[in-house]
Structures are given as structure tokens and as C-alpha cells.
Amino acid sequence: MTDPASSTATLAITGAGITIFGVVTGLHPDILLAGFAGGVWAQSYLPQTTLFRRVSTTLGSAIVAGYLTPISVALLKNSPPGDLFREIAQTAIALVIGLISQKVIGPALLRISENRLKDIDHEP
């Protein structure tokens, strides 16, 4: 079993790195952190793996949430960017996207692209 203090330190360092990454790339740091939290939450449902795998999975969840949350919120409510709905809903949606990105969104996109490739191969 891992030492709780080392896991907490890893989360703190990773959280700070995500914030800096968000500032550098122009993605919203609060959305990235919510996606990261969703990725950490998802870890409770996955089999225990190495520390590197857990960190990379949660970072991937954060990045997926950073890119998909603004699109998802815009699709849910077609409104001006400054609308209060977006401010309230973004972090909750980012948390959910972070939670489902590894087990649902990724595999679904791979299936869709695989089916599309099969369709292209069978066209005359």
C-alpha cells in the first residue's frame, strides 16, 4: 500500500502543474482541476495500477475535460459566453467528463472511428 503522504504530495504537485498548464495553453484552470478531480474519482472504480499510470490517467482526464467542457456547455445551452449558466455548469460538467473520459468517451470515440473506417473501406 502506498504512503498517504506521498500520494497527497503527488496530487498537490500535479494540481499545481495542471493550473500552470491551463494558464500556458489558454484552457481554464478551474475546468482542468475539475476534470482532474473526476479522474481521481474514476481511479476508485479502476483496478489499482502503478503510480505513473494513475497520474497519467488523471492528467488525461483533466486535458479531455479542458477541451470538451466548453463545447459540451455550449451544446447544452446555446447562449452568450458570459451567461451565468456556463459559469455554474462548467465545473460540474468538467468533473463528470473527467470521471467518464477513460472508460466511456475514449472507447466510444475509438469505436466510432473504427466503424467509420470500415464504412470507407467498403465504399465503391
Side-chain angles (χ1 to χ4, degrees), residues 1-55:
M1 183 170 189
T2 61
D3 179 24
S6 67
S7 297
T8 304
T10 302
L11 287 175
I13 291 168
T14 308
I18 287 171
T19 303
I20 293 168
F21 177 78
V23 171
V24 170
T25 60
L27 296 172
H28 298 283
D30 56 333
I31 292 174
L32 290 172
L33 289 172
F36 180 76
V40 170
W41 183 13
Q43 292 297 318
S44 67
Y45 300 107
L46 299 173
Q48 185 138 8
T49 60
T50 64
L51 179 63
F52 176 77
R53 177 81 172 129
R54 289 190 305 252
V55 170

Side-chain angles (χ1 to χ4, degrees), residues 71-101:
I71 296 167
S72 301
V73 171
L75 290 174
L76 286 176
K77 174 121 171 105
N78 193 7
S79 61
D83 190 34
L84 182 61
F85 174 80
R86 287 187 178 186
E87 297 300 320
I88 294 171
Q90 280 190 131
T91 51
I93 291 172
L95 179 74
V96 171
I97 289 174
L99 173 66
I100 66 172
S101 66

